[in-house]
Amino acid sequence: MSTALTPPADAAAPVRHPEAPAPGELLGAHYDYCFGCGGGQPHGLHLEARAGEGVSLTAEFTVTAAHQGAPGLAHGGVLATALDETLGSLNWLLRVIAVTGRLETDFVRPVPVDTVLFLEAEVTAVAGRKIYSRATGRIGGPEGPVAVRAEALFVEVKVDHFIDNGRPEEIQAAMADPDQVRRARAFEVNP
């Protein structure tokens, strides 16, 4: 593990926001066109995450033929994306907008096409704007063998980060959404 992924000695334990989704609640897509969780991406992961206890969650996605690298196996970049999406969804439990600062992924075993990847993730520490987290992906069931795992550092940002750097059409459409929760969630993960 990189020292950049080790929380400093004065880091605090994560605290679930009082208005975070309840344990077991489906988090839903943060943005319809997100490759990781959005329903508007025909070849996206369509990852579904559920709030867990504390600052944790579980998620699932099914590896399809569109996600393969080597014949019949998931592409490593797609698996890293699934981990990144899962880890980024944790920020919804903290109710902060944060982007991936660093992601380290270990590929433990191949993940065949048509496999469901069962993911679990948790925030381990918070230090100022830095959020430290880890995730594990298993095949064959939630208790199956580990296929992938990751540790990450997310950095809290303001919505201006997206307004200043995103394409104006998509930013304006997200900002115009009358659903306040969906509007806020549109800006929750990834730079």
Side-chain angles (χ1 to χ4, degrees):
M1 176 174 72
S2 165
T3 55
L5 295 175
T6 302
D10 63 345
V15 177
R16 183 189 191 97
H17 192 279
E19 295 176 25
E25 188 175 329
L26 186 64
L27 298 181
H30 74 273
Y31 179 59
D32 195 42
Y33 295 104
C34 173
F35 182 79
C37 66
Q41 290 290 347
H43 300 297
L45 304 184
H46 303 182
L47 187 134
E48 292 189 344
R50 290 191 181 277
E53 297 293 330
V55 188
S56 71
L57 60 77
T58 59
E60 294 180 13
F61 95 95
T62 301
V63 177
T64 70
H67 302 137
Q68 66 189 310
L73 297 174
H75 189 286
V78 168
L79 296 175
T81 299
L83 288 161
D84 183 44
E85 185 69 30
T86 301
L87 290 159
S89 294
L90 288 165
N91 298 315
W92 185 239
L93 302 176
L94 298 171
R95 296 295 293 262
V96 299
I97 299 171
V99 296
T100 310
R102 184 176 186 96
L103 175 69
E104 286 191 16
T105 306
D106 295 318
F107 301 96
V108 180
R109 64 176 14 104
V111 178
V113 168
D114 296 327
T115 296
V116 176
L117 189 64
F118 297 88
L119 298 133
E120 52 188 22
E122 67 177 340
V123 175
T124 58
V126 177
R129 294 176 43 223
K130 295 180 179 180
I131 301 163
Y132 298 85
S133 54
R134 64 179 167 224
T136 302
R138 298 174 182 272
I139 57 176
E143 303 300 320
V146 172
V148 292
R149 62 179 164 249
E151 293 195 44
L153 168 66
F154 281 77
V155 180
E156 186 176 350
V157 297
K158 302 296 180 204
V159 75
D160 292 352
H161 169 84
F162 300 95
I163 293 168
D164 294 344
N165 297 291
R167 283 196 331 180
E169 308 83 65
E170 282 89 350
I171 297 297
Q172 289 167 3
M175 295 293 279
D177 193 321
D179 184 316
Q180 191 174 34
V181 171
R182 264 199 335 245
R183 184 171 56 242
R185 288 203 63 209
F187 301 101
E188 74 177 348
V189 294
N190 295 326

